[in-house]
Amino acid sequence: MKEVYPGLYVGNEKDYYKMKEHPEFSFVLAAKNPFHKNIVGYEGKSCDKSHPEYLIARRKDMIVLNMVDAPSSLFFSKVMIDEALNFIDEELHECRCVMIVCNRGESRSASIALLYLIQHGVLKGETLEDCEVEFLRLYPEYNPGKGIRGFVKEHFEEYQSIKIF
């Protein structure tokens, strides 16, 4: 677990289990298995697409994303990412710490943190690659899978132009 911005942390599954009882933390859990599967409570390989929490399950101190580290950007929903970014912003404004978590803490969680920092003008660069160089200084564990990296690249300019302060 590493702080990448005041109150914003990126971590892995083990970090979550160590920190989940800390009342000052909220969590973005960006992994279908075990998080989404356990929180929503389904068995088998996947959640029924008609389930109201198919993509996103929101609980008091967490948002849980039905997200796998897929090889294509087509498997990543902008709705999911935007909800996660909004949740992070809300929780930080409430003076809560936020930990973004995926299984290994290097792909999905790190990419969501990267997008948050781009969206808020913390990471500045002409290109995604410029921002990634800066982010690697903050979080050397950043190692995005092909799909999530593709999603970030496809939407980079859009997130960069939002500039929320």
Side-chain angles (χ1 to χ4, degrees):
M1 175 175 90
K2 185 164 185 180
E3 189 173 30
V4 296
Y5 184 74
L8 183 62
Y9 297 80
V10 178
N12 61 35
E13 197 173 329
K14 289 178 185 176
D15 296 324
Y16 168 72
Y17 289 117
K18 287 179 198 169
M19 299 301 293
K20 72 179 189 169
E21 300 301 325
H22 287 253
E24 71 275 12
F25 271 85
S26 294
F27 301 92
V28 175
L29 303 177
K32 176 182 107 171
N33 197 9
F35 303 124
H36 188 266
K37 191 172 186 175
N38 289 344
I39 297 293
V40 175
Y42 55 93
E43 294 183 16
K45 285 190 169 193
S46 63
C47 184
D48 187 300
K49 288 186 178 185
S50 66
H51 193 286
E53 294 182 313
Y54 173 70
L55 286 179
I56 304 161
R58 181 107 184 225
R59 299 296 184 268
K60 180 182 174 231
D61 63 348
M62 70 177 69
I63 187 168
V64 189
L65 309 176
N66 186 359
M67 188 181 283
V68 297
D69 212 356
S72 168
S73 64
L74 298 174
F75 291 94
F76 294 89
S77 163
K78 189 165 183 318
V79 169
M80 256 195 297
I81 301 294
D82 289 349
E83 284 292 319
L85 296 174
N86 289 337
F87 177 84
I88 293 165
D89 206 41
E90 291 166 12
E91 296 299 299
L92 290 176
H93 278 93
E94 292 294 321
C95 298
R96 294 182 54 78
C97 295
V98 178
M99 184 190 307
I100 311 169
V101 179
C102 65
N103 301 108
R104 294 175 56 188
E106 58 188 42
S107 183
R108 292 162 286 174
S109 58
S111 296
I112 292 170
L114 169 72
L115 280 174
Y116 183 84
L117 297 179
I118 289 169
Q119 183 182 55
H120 289 264
V122 175
L123 297 177
K124 298 175 181 149
E126 294 292 318
T127 66
L128 171 59
E129 292 76 13
D130 294 340
C131 292
E132 287 175 320
V133 168
E134 292 294 313
F135 187 66
L136 280 163
R137 290 186 184 119
L138 299 172
Y139 195 72
E141 296 84 353
Y142 174 63
N143 183 24
K146 187 176 179 181
I148 190 67
R149 172 76 173 39
F151 176 90
V152 172
K153 188 156 183 76
E154 289 165 18
H155 297 277
F156 169 72
E157 289 181 8
E158 181 180 347
Y159 286 109
Q160 187 183 41
S161 68
I162 294 173
K163 298 293 187 228
I164 301 169
F165 296 99

